[in-house]
Amino acid sequence: MSPPRHNLPLSAGEFIQFVGRERDIVDLSRIMGESRMLTLTGTGGIGKTRLALHLAERVLRRFPDGARFIDLSEASDHEQALRTVAAGLQAATGDAKSLMDGVITALRTQHMLLLLDTCEHAVGPMAQLCQAVLRDCPRVRILVTSRQPLHVLGETIWRVPPLSLPARPTPTDPYAAVPAPIPRRDAQRYESVRLFLTRAHAARSGFEMTRENSGYVAEICRMLDGMPLAIELAAARVRVLSVQQILRRLDDRFQLLTSDGTGNLPARQRTLRAVLEWSHDLLSDAERLLLHRLSVFSTWYLEAAEDVCSGEGVDPADILSLHFSLMDKSLVVLDSEIDGTAHYRLTETVRVYAAEQLGSDGDERWERYLRFSVNRLEEEAKSAAVPQTWEERLGRLRMYDHHRENHARIVAWALSRGRVDEALRVCVALRTYWLVRDLSAEGSRLLEQVLAHEPDEQSPPLRSRALALHAELRLDVDAAARVGALAACALEAARACRESTAAASALATSATLSLRTGALEDGERQAERALAWAAQAGDPMTEGTTRGVLAELARRRGATEEAVTHLEENARAARDLGDRWGEARCLHGLGSIAAEAGDHERAQELFAEALEVFGELPSAPLAAQCAADLGRLHLAERDTLSAREPLAQCLRVSFTSGRRIAVARALEALAELALAEEEPTRAAALAGVAASLRAELDRPSAETVRLRSVVERRVGSGRATEAWSAWRSLPLEQVRDRALAFPRPPTPRLTGADALTPREREIATLAERGLSNREIAQRLTISQATAARHIANIFRKLSISSRTQLTGWASPREPG
């Protein structure tokens, strides 16, 4: 009898159970046709062996002599590894040299696939063997699984990725009591969720994913980094636990995630801890030390690792090569590149295991990390107060975005060790970031924890600045009375220690609050004092905020020219600093004044320019408000088609921000649009949801009352009441989708040249003469981006696609 064509240890049942990786299988099948040696690498439990087996089954028909699977998990030295391969191929055996010769002889005439599984304990001998096979056995192809590459000439390395994961809802609220649900229709899109559901159903036949538990399933998959083995072990627990209980117990994942009970897993994979210990045993002493120390980070870049993790067994000069080695062994992964700086991370499971091993070295590493963080953040906070390019400012914001979890972790550790002043320094240094990024809730939560920790032991200047920042962050979140009390407390603390930055910030917050309460005279006095303190402190952010308040106070008393002067001065100062965010706030204010004066064209240009900057950040409340103002301008001109996109953008941004009051305002603006488009019942449905949100927040508005009244006049009380309640019971995600699905074309409007505004006609004429966007911008004293937007609007309204089609565009309007 001839030997079987393959010995792949898979049954038909296991093929049916294989979940996900469809795209990977297709790509790897193509690579197998092009490369003679393919190595699948990745961390333990990522599914390398199972993927290799399914790939081998997929390409088996290409190999007349079949496939041979060799399990090297028990081979720990050179001779044992070669002997295992020789036994699998039924080759002649003897000493090491004869073993190698026997393997090559057995393979020399074969046209087959050689699958070498779990090679990480025998990298050296397997590299020599593969090199010899590639040289002497021309029709043999090699498929390898290993936690690190073999580094053989001709080797193609494929890092097996985690299973696809549902993205976390934005903004992420780490304090949310219940994870956000995912729609059931989306479950099949994510390989990790599909695997969990398949294995959970096998463990408990009645298990189903529902709206109530879907968020927990998704969060389990995220916390386990899409690692198939960990997900399978977690899913097996549904026999005795709910998904809510599984998620709560993942903090002790090494206790929870033990054998799935089937006995199908090899010993090294029967617990999550065994998987990690298997990898850990392969490391050198320096690699182990570095891996343990890296657990203090959630993400890091090379300079941070060199500063925090070097010393006592790890030379700073070796950090880079050790990173390469740990990446080769699939323990460190490349996270992302932020403005030219590569970042790394440990998967959460590896990080938890490494942190356990950190032991007595832990306090020293965290101490160094705290010192590094405080110094770096304070240096960058100082640089924000001096001229910089906008790209540099955006780069810093992107870097802070990426390190948000690091900031929270370092503050928590500092508090746990009584290092309250350092925790305050971290928070105060993040002031600009939190305000620009609208992270009021996140920042104030962190601040509240720090301020409440041994308040009498805190440095008075630091505490006063933190109190002022706390009041500033709560301005748009809390009731006026509480914010006023916070600001007064901060001002008192600032005066006691002559802390000018804190005094300026507290006074600016009080002045801003006066706009809400109507105490305008008090607001004027507070703003003037704030401006003086801010100038003394050299605090351009507070200066800008205060001038904005003074401008709004001037508008309230009818002094429009004074308001414009404040805003223009503010915009110049922001431009000098390279702070386009501050400049955009001023442009928005100037646009509002232009709109009030009836200069809609100028207002549209200013709003559009501001919105472009807010879109770069994005700064959610400002972007939403600016988009709503731009949409309402179009509505005022009865241009409903142009109003749709900014008002839709307002809702999208508001929804992403998580601010329900902002969502309510956006829905009210879309209700106005629906009325303009002769859709009164749609307007009622939108306004009804807005009213419901306002009721939940105890923030009633005359706007919803007015909208209902208008709808009742158009369709009658009965239909208005029915429409008002039509969407109120729907999940907000469905309301958003319906609100953005405009039901029919807008009302008839002007077409062709008649549809152009005077400014657009002026720009079309210049473009027809051959002027570029830059030349048009210079001629009309507008930005190049504004000129480009006008050209796009002109093309849309004239139904053309190029400048050459503008030739003679005005001729139909000429007499004769």
Side-chain angles (χ1 to χ4, degrees):
M1 292 179 62
S2 60
R5 290 196 63 244
H6 73 83
N7 65 336
L8 302 178
L10 282 174
S11 66
E14 287 191 54
F15 278 117
I16 293 169
Q17 290 178 5
F18 190 62
V19 177
R21 306 286 194 200
E22 293 86 357
R23 183 69 255 174
D24 291 347
I25 289 286
V26 171
D27 290 342
L28 289 168
S29 297
R30 175 183 53 78
I31 291 171
M32 283 293 296
E34 300 167 354
S35 175
R36 287 195 55 210
M37 178 176 175
L38 173 61
T39 299
L40 306 183
T41 69
T43 189
I46 202 69
K48 300 180 294 295
T49 298
R50 191 171 292 184
L51 177 60
L53 289 169
H54 284 265
L55 173 61
E57 192 273 343
R58 173 77 172 258
V59 301
L60 187 60
R61 64 183 179 278
R62 301 179 190 174
F63 300 96
D65 295 315
R68 279 291 171 273
F69 172 83
I70 312 291
D71 180 3
L72 292 155
S73 60
E74 301 300 324
S76 57
D77 59 40
H78 187 284
E79 184 172 338
Q80 191 177 1
L82 288 177
R83 200 170 295 282
T84 301
V85 176
L89 295 172
Q90 299 179 356
T93 59
D95 59 18
K97 184 177 186 307
S98 63
L99 280 170
M100 179 76 79
D101 291 341
V103 169
I104 296 302
T105 300
L107 291 174
R108 195 184 303 275
T109 61
Q110 297 292 299
H111 186 180
M112 69 181 299
L113 174 66
L114 179 63
L115 201 170
L116 303 175
D117 184 55
T118 316
C119 292
E120 51 264 21
H121 274 296
V123 170
M126 286 304 98
Q128 292 178 22
L129 175 65
C130 291
Q131 208 159 9
V133 170
L134 293 176
R135 182 185 64 239
D136 299 330
C137 309
R139 294 193 299 168
V140 173
R141 295 195 178 236
I142 307 169
L143 178 59
V144 174
T145 74
S146 174
R147 298 190 190 186
Q148 64 186 98
L150 304 190
H151 296 299
V152 173
L153 185 65
E155 175 186 30
T156 298
I157 300 167
W158 175 284
R159 295 195 180 276
V160 179
L163 297 177
S164 59
L165 292 163
R168 273 196 172 89
T170 53
T172 300
D173 182 0
Y175 305 94
V178 178
I182 58 172
R184 291 188 66 179
R185 66 177 182 276
D186 287 349
Q188 294 303 310
R189 292 173 48 198
Y190 306 113
E191 295 169 329
S192 56
V193 175
R194 283 162 51 197
L195 177 62
F196 185 96
L197 296 178
T198 300
R199 299 299 187 256
H201 188 73
R204 174 159 48 102
S205 59
F207 179 85
E208 296 290 344
M209 189 175 81
T210 64
R211 175 175 172 78
E212 288 69 31
N213 69 20
S214 64
Y216 292 95
V217 171
E219 190 61 20
I220 288 168
C221 294
R222 293 185 199 108
M223 284 190 68
L224 296 175
D225 301 295
M227 182 193 290
L229 174 64
I231 290 170
E232 291 194 16
L233 293 174
R237 293 291 162 269
V238 302
R239 287 194 189 98
V240 291
L241 298 173
S242 70
V243 290
Q244 291 92 327
Q245 290 173 304
I246 292 171
L247 180 59
R248 284 197 297 271
R249 289 168 181 260
L250 278 184
D251 283 341
D252 190 15
R253 65 191 66 196
F254 298 121
Q255 180 67 31
L256 177 69
L257 302 183
T258 57
S259 173
D260 64 355
T262 64
N264 292 332
L265 296 173
R268 69 179 188 279
Q269 291 189 345
R270 286 185 187 155
T271 72
L272 199 55
R273 183 177 295 280
V275 170
L276 292 168
E277 286 172 347
W278 175 271
S279 292
H280 192 259
D281 291 344
L282 298 173
L283 303 180
S284 68
D285 289 343
E287 288 170 338
R288 285 190 188 120
L289 285 171
L290 180 58
L291 179 69
H292 302 164
R293 294 169 185 178
L294 290 172
S295 66
V296 302
F297 303 108
S298 60
T299 182
W300 71 90
Y301 48 95
L302 194 60
E303 291 77 9
E306 288 169 340
D307 189 290
V308 174
C309 300
S310 60
E312 299 177 30
V314 179
D315 192 304
D318 293 337
I319 296 278
L320 179 59
S321 60
L322 289 171
H323 265 75
F324 286 146
S325 182
L326 289 173
M327 289 178 73
D328 259 358
K329 294 177 171 66
S330 304
L331 290 167
V332 167
V333 296
L334 187 63
D335 189 4
S336 59
E337 188 175 300
I338 310 295
D339 293 301
T341 300
H343 279 69
Y344 310 89
R345 67 180 176 86
L346 305 176
T347 63
E348 185 61 17
T349 301
V350 172
R351 192 191 64 75
V352 170
Y353 178 81
E356 280 186 5
Q357 310 302 313
L358 190 54
S360 59
D361 193 25
D363 278 354
E364 164 69 14
R365 296 304 141 188
W366 277 102
E367 176 69 36
R368 290 176 67 161
Y369 185 29
L370 176 61
R371 186 166 58 246
F372 175 85
S373 299
V374 168
N375 292 339
R376 184 61 61 94
L377 288 169
E378 288 184 339
E379 285 172 14
E380 290 173 346
K382 287 176 186 173
S383 69
V386 298
Q388 281 187 317
T389 67
W390 179 234
E391 272 308 311
E392 287 174 324
R393 292 179 182 276
L394 280 179
R396 184 168 57 249
L397 292 172
R398 285 190 286 263
M399 184 74 81
Y400 283 4
D401 280 343
H402 199 66
H403 285 262
R404 276 169 67 181
E405 188 178 344
N406 277 337
H407 300 151
R409 279 161 52 82
I410 199 67
V411 167
W413 184 84
L415 290 182
S416 73
R417 296 300 188 273
R419 307 293 294 276
V420 188
D421 279 0
E422 284 91 340
L424 285 172
R425 289 169 68 185
V426 170
C427 293
V428 168
L430 289 170
R431 176 197 178 204
T432 300
Y433 170 65
W434 282 341
L435 292 172
V436 172
R437 276 292 198 225
D438 184 42
L439 295 172
S440 301
E442 177 178 312
S444 60
R445 278 195 192 100
L446 208 55
L447 264 175
E448 283 167 4
Q449 293 172 20
V450 180
L451 287 167
H453 197 94
E454 300 178 0
D456 295 336
E457 303 300 317
Q458 296 173 11
S459 158
L462 275 172
R463 181 169 176 80
S464 66
R465 292 182 68 180
L467 287 168
L469 175 56
H470 188 218
E472 197 172 14
L473 290 170
R474 301 306 295 179
L475 190 57
D476 290 329
V477 180
D478 285 337
R482 178 165 190 252
V483 177
L486 291 172
C489 179
L491 183 59
E492 183 181 349
R495 282 173 171 161
C497 61
R498 303 294 295 172
E499 172 50 62
S500 56
T501 303
S505 174
L507 285 164
T509 297
S510 297
T512 305
L513 198 61
S514 71
L515 294 170
R516 192 191 303 177
T517 60
L520 303 187
E521 289 184 8
D522 289 343
E524 290 271 5
R525 286 194 299 271
Q526 290 160 342
E528 293 292 351
R529 288 159 58 206
L531 206 55
W533 278 106
Q536 179 181 325
D539 180 1
M541 172 164 260
T542 302
E543 285 190 63
T545 299
T546 306
R547 284 199 196 96
V549 173
L550 286 169
E552 184 60 29
L553 288 165
R555 282 178 67 186
R556 295 279 183 94
R557 52 184 166 77
T560 304
E561 289 185 8
E562 183 184 334
V564 169
T565 300
H566 280 303
L567 289 171
E568 288 179 343
E569 182 182 352
N570 215 2
R572 278 193 299 273
R575 274 195 298 273
D576 290 343
L577 285 172
D579 177 13
R580 289 200 70 204
W581 179 78
E583 183 184 0
R585 294 174 71 190
C586 300
L587 294 175
H588 184 205
L590 289 168
S592 299
I593 292 173
E596 283 180 1
D599 188 352
H600 288 187
E601 232 173 272
R602 175 67 175 152
Q604 284 182 24
E605 289 176 9
L606 290 164
F607 286 152
E609 193 170 346
L611 198 55
E612 185 179 344
V613 177
F614 295 144
E616 286 183 65
L617 289 171
S619 180
L622 292 172
Q625 187 180 345
C626 194
D629 288 343
L630 181 57
R632 286 194 167 102
L633 270 184
H634 289 305
L635 283 180
E637 294 183 332
R638 301 182 184 280
D639 186 355
T640 55
L641 181 60
S642 295
R644 282 184 168 190
E645 177 48 36
L647 292 181
Q649 183 181 357
C650 175
L651 179 61
R652 285 193 294 266
V653 171
S654 300
F655 200 92
T656 300
S657 77
R659 289 173 174 253
R660 292 192 162 221
I661 191 64
V663 173
R665 291 175 185 141
L667 292 171
E668 288 163 359
L670 283 167
E672 285 280 5
L673 173 62
L675 287 172
E677 292 186 337
E678 301 300 330
E679 292 281 349
T681 55
R682 175 179 166 82
L686 289 161
V689 177
S692 180
L693 289 172
R694 286 185 173 280
E696 290 173 14
L697 298 167
D698 196 22
R699 298 278 293 272
S701 166
E703 178 67 5
T704 51
V705 176
R706 186 189 67 79
L707 286 167
R708 178 154 186 169
S709 177
V710 173
V711 173
E712 285 181 348
R713 286 200 299 272
R714 294 198 188 180
V715 300
S717 177
R719 283 185 65 194
T721 300
E722 183 181 348
W724 190 262
S725 303
W727 294 2
R728 296 180 78 171
S729 61
L730 296 176
L732 266 184
E733 294 87 352
Q734 288 186 33
V735 172
R736 175 199 58 196
D737 294 344
R738 292 190 181 197
L740 296 178
F742 297 104
R744 66 183 179 86
T747 52
R749 49 198 300 273
L750 296 173
T751 59
D754 290 328
L756 302 185
T757 65
R759 174 67 94 181
E760 288 167 350
R761 292 181 59 76
E762 185 178 12
I763 288 174
T765 301
L766 294 174
E768 184 187 15
R769 293 177 190 164
L771 272 69
S772 67
N773 287 354
R774 171 183 278 181
E775 291 167 331
I776 292 171
Q778 290 172 345
R779 178 77 65 90
L780 300 179
T781 321
I782 60 176
S783 74
Q784 194 170 332
T786 298
R789 278 193 299 273
H790 279 304
I791 290 291
N793 285 337
I794 291 164
F795 282 9
R796 176 174 54 79
K797 291 180 179 181
L798 297 181
S799 298
I800 61 176
S801 57
S802 71
R803 287 172 181 259
T804 57
Q805 294 173 279
L806 280 171
T807 304
W809 71 277
S811 57
R813 298 175 51 84
E814 296 171 359

